[in-house]
Amino acid sequence: MELGELVGRRPFPAAGLLLGLTRRCPLSCAHCSTGSSLSVREEPDARRLVRFVSSFTTADRPDVVMLTGGEPLLLPALVEELSSLARAAGSRTALLSGMFFARSRDVPPPVLRAIAGVDHFSASLDAHHEREIPRADVFRAVHRVRETGVAVSFHLTGTGADDPYLADVTRAVDEEFGGQVPSLVNEVRPFGRAASWAASARTVPEGGAVSPCAMAAWPVVAFDGTVLACCNQDTVDRRPAPAHLSLGHIATDDWAAVRRRALESPVLRMIRTVGPAHLAARSGVPSRGASYCDGCRALGSDDRVAAEADAVAAGAAGALLDLTAARRGAAQGPVGVVRHHGCAAYAPLVMAGSTAPGGSR
Ligand code: SF4
Ligand code: SF4
């Protein structure tokens, strides 16, 4: 599965599932929004994760399962088991790694076996990571991963279109891999890495204007096993989770229940189609919180919001509204998705063989 295919599914509700396997990570990147290190042992119970993924069926499963962290490859046997279970139901898996294993000359066999079992592998690279693992080592490890036949990509982060680091690293990836390895380029944001497959920095829109949240599309399994409706790291981490953004828990719920809640909640449909600020305004609820997401998290405490969402987005009409918004989000293809949610100038790189700004290809 190539990066473009994965990103192209991002706008569709419940087309994907993000699994945070562990908050632990051997690296200590300065910008780490999940607060990961080797000393933070916080991870869902492995048996519950296995049970949850075992509940996928060929008729009801996510198209894509994203294995994230922390560093998911600290649990290579679990990665192998989950990707094999997901594949049996017809789901494909993608894994995002901080590349700690590139420190060794050879990729450790359990890590290589785990990578060979997924359908897409993405390597994180940015100025902070490069202080932990030299770029040349990351490139060497990615060459080794490509030899297994797994589709690979880079996940690059910088400060924006004018960041000289992004110009340099995209040129280096292009030269090293002959334009055959795509990159998802994002700007540094207050989101976790799970979100960074297509996250957007949001400000509160003026006067409750329509400003849909595409991040409420794919459920996220947090490190304590709670399933959230979106991948904003504050929402993923805070407890209690806001009721309207909580989809259950892997200890008690299966995929069918999580998917049904994600797809059928009128409030989530409104968040995806018109955004939280507009929903608040049309419900007669004063906007709360300093940010777009703060305002969203506050919505669940007001009955007027649920009543308004029910009136507009319940039933078949609400489902159609939701699907129409997702199709609109996907209409420009993967490049359009990244242009909207990632670093727009580098959006074409989501497809292999594309040109970076000022590039020579
Ligand atoms: S590799 Fe990722 S998860 Fe690990 S410390 Fe760096 S940013 Fe955090
Ligand atoms: S607006 Fe709401 S659903 Fe969207 S990312 Fe923020 S908290 Fe999550």
Side-chain angles (χ1 to χ4, degrees):
M1 175 177 54
E2 291 295 343
L3 178 65
E5 197 181 339
L6 192 166
V7 169
R9 297 299 295 150
R10 195 66 178 92
F12 292 94
L17 169 71
L18 294 142
L19 293 184
L21 297 197
T22 178
R23 199 190 284 276
R24 281 186 300 146
C25 180
L27 307 190
S28 316
C29 304
H31 67 318
C32 183
S33 54
T34 47
S36 294
S37 76
L38 272 184
S39 59
V40 199
R41 189 169 189 111
E42 199 187 330
E43 53 203 36
D45 182 276
R47 284 159 309 165
R48 287 177 175 167
L49 275 175
V50 166
R51 193 195 63 80
F52 186 71
V53 173
S54 300
S55 73
F56 297 177
T57 65
T58 49
D60 191 349
R61 40 108 182 131
D63 296 338
V64 183
V65 180
M66 305 278 326
L67 305 175
T68 70
E71 176 52 68
L73 286 172
L74 284 178
L75 299 166
L78 181 61
V79 167
E80 259 193 284
E81 186 171 9
L82 294 176
S83 49
S84 154
L85 286 168
R87 186 173 287 172
S91 301
R92 286 175 298 171
T93 45
L95 184 143
L96 177 61
S97 172
M99 302 300 291
F100 74 99
F101 58 86
R103 281 172 174 156
S104 349
R105 188 88 212 139
D106 296 313
V107 181
V111 168
L112 199 58
R113 267 200 311 278
I115 294 172
V118 300
D119 298 285
H120 188 88
F121 176 83
S122 192
S124 281
L125 200 54
D126 55 50
H128 300 288
H129 279 87
E130 292 206 33
R131 279 179 213 122
E132 301 275 321
I133 312 272
R135 183 186 298 179
D137 292 349
V138 171
F139 282 177
R140 188 187 63 241
V142 169
H143 279 298
R144 181 71 189 93
V145 170
R146 288 189 82 205
E147 287 167 16
T148 67
V150 171
V152 305
S153 64
F154 281 94
H155 177 141
L156 309 173
T157 309
T159 54
D162 299 331
D163 185 347
Y165 174 79
L166 283 180
D168 177 61
V169 73
T170 51
R171 199 178 311 114
V173 168
D174 186 45
E175 285 170 11
E176 180 77 22
F177 297 95
Q180 294 309 302
V181 174
S183 294
L184 177 60
V185 182
N186 268 308
E187 294 169 15
V188 178
R189 290 165 183 163
F191 288 94
R193 283 174 48 226
S196 52
W197 290 88
S200 57
R202 306 301 292 265
T203 48
V204 182
E206 294 279 326
V210 169
S211 178
C213 175
M215 295 304 101
W218 289 9
V220 177
V221 176
F223 299 127
D224 65 354
T226 306
V227 190
L228 285 310
C230 81
C231 53
N232 172 275
Q233 196 63 43
D234 278 346
T235 304
V236 170
D237 283 342
R238 281 188 205 181
R239 295 293 175 274
H244 64 299
L245 300 177
S246 174
L247 299 176
H249 195 286
I250 58 167
T252 47
D253 295 298
D254 60 9
W255 167 252
V258 164
R259 176 175 176 272
R260 191 172 54 249
R261 289 172 195 144
L263 288 180
E264 296 180 5
S265 156
V267 171
L268 288 177
R269 285 175 176 172
M270 292 294 278
I271 289 172
R272 288 191 289 259
T273 53
V274 297
H278 186 72
L279 174 57
R282 62 184 296 150
S283 308
V285 171
S287 123
R288 299 184 197 120
S291 74
Y292 180 79
C293 290
D294 283 345
C296 177
R297 283 187 287 268
L299 286 179
S301 56
D302 200 307
D303 291 343
R304 288 173 292 177
V305 171
E308 175 66 15
D310 273 348
V312 179
L320 186 60
L321 195 71
D322 211 9
L323 184 61
T324 305
R327 286 190 174 143
R328 200 180 307 123
Q332 306 299 316
V335 174
V337 172
V338 183
R339 204 167 267 140
H340 201 64
H341 300 292
C343 186
Y346 289 94
L349 296 186
V350 74
M351 308 299 288
S354 299
T355 315
S360 53
R361 187 164 300 279

